Amino acid sequence: MSEEQLKAFLEKVKADNSLQEKLKTAADVDAVLGIANEAGFVISADDVRTEISDSELEGTAGGGCSFEYGKMGKDKCSR
């Protein structure tokens, strides 16, 4: 996976409300990776952990959830 794939996925998420909603309900990193894969992007868990900051993810997904130590916790979601 390249950094370009991750950046392209984040850009798509910013413009796609459907993807934002899916990410808000993602229970963990594996769910996020599945959503990315369904959207046509190949992203690994290591890419997510090392390339996306908490603020980037919150801004991209509409602030619904946050990554902490590479995991998305439903208890971290603000709804």
Side-chain angles (χ1 to χ4, degrees):
M1 162 37 227
S2 67
E3 185 177 336
E4 292 80 27
Q5 280 276 298
L6 181 58
K7 287 181 180 182
F9 175 62
L10 291 175
E11 287 302 314
K12 181 164 178 80
V13 170
K14 287 179 186 178
D16 188 328
N17 289 337
S18 174
L19 281 176
Q20 292 173 21
E21 290 302 315
K22 287 180 181 181
L23 288 172
K24 286 179 185 179
T25 63
D28 56 25
V29 172
D30 289 332
V32 172
L33 298 177
I35 292 166
N37 186 268
E38 288 175 10
F41 299 89
V42 179
I43 299 170
S44 74
D46 287 338
D47 295 322
V48 173
R49 287 185 188 110
T50 59
E51 297 294 333
I52 301 178
S53 70
D54 288 344
S55 61
E56 285 176 309
L57 184 66
E58 286 178 21
T60 301
C65 299
S66 65
F67 269 99
E68 188 168 299
Y69 303 107
K71 294 185 180 178
M72 236 189 210
K74 285 189 176 184
D75 60 316
K76 302 290 182 194
C77 296
S78 57
R79 296 197 177 121

